[in-house]
Amino acid sequence: MDIINSDTLKVNIFREVMTLSEDKLRKVYDYIEVLTSKREVDAKEYVMPDDLIQSVAEYTLKVEESDGPMYSTTEVKDYVDKKMGWK
């Protein structure tokens, strides 16, 4: 891998961005928004509302009773990351 300085990297990124269609440019913007907002969220503590926890628990029990599919936290996180384009 070639090592390039930050000015060269900025110019290369700018050139690539200038060739994007409006649709692709919006996708890049959305992706950058997700990355920057994720950093902000990581710095904050999130507390799940009690009614949401209760709903998830009730749903999980129903799925378990009906022998429905069960997924681990890691599987769900990976699925969400993939759907959001984070991985």
Side-chain angles (χ1 to χ4, degrees), residues 24-41:
K24 295 283 186 185
L25 191 56
R26 287 185 192 280
K27 288 180 181 180
V28 168
Y29 178 80
D30 291 342
Y31 179 73
I32 291 170
E33 282 292 306
V34 166
L35 290 177
T36 56
S37 67
K38 186 174 186 322
R39 271 191 235 122
E40 292 170 10
V41 170

Side-chain angles (χ1 to χ4, degrees), residues 38 42 71-87:
K38 186 174 186 322
D42 287 345
Y71 303 97
S72 70
T73 303
T74 302
E75 289 171 319
V76 172
K77 184 180 178 309
D78 289 345
Y79 176 80
V80 170
D81 285 347
K82 186 180 253 182
K83 282 293 196 182
M84 296 299 291
W86 297 334
K87 283 188 175 180

Side-chain angles (χ1 to χ4, degrees), residues 2-58:
D2 295 332
I3 298 177
I4 58 176
N5 67 35
S6 64
D7 288 336
T8 303
L9 185 60
K10 289 175 188 176
V11 169
N12 289 346
I13 290 171
F14 183 73
R15 282 185 187 149
E16 289 294 324
V17 167
M18 293 305 295
T19 64
L20 296 175
S21 66
E22 185 175 341
D23 181 54
K24 295 283 186 185
L25 191 56
R26 287 185 192 280
K27 288 180 181 180
V28 168
Y29 178 80
D30 291 342
Y31 179 73
I32 291 170
E33 282 292 306
V34 166
L35 290 177
T36 56
S37 67
K38 186 174 186 322
R39 271 191 235 122
E40 292 170 10
V41 170
D42 287 345
K44 299 175 186 176
E45 183 177 323
Y46 176 77
V47 177
M48 190 181 291
D50 288 338
D51 57 337
L52 181 56
I53 292 172
Q54 184 65 32
S55 295
V56 169
E58 289 172 6

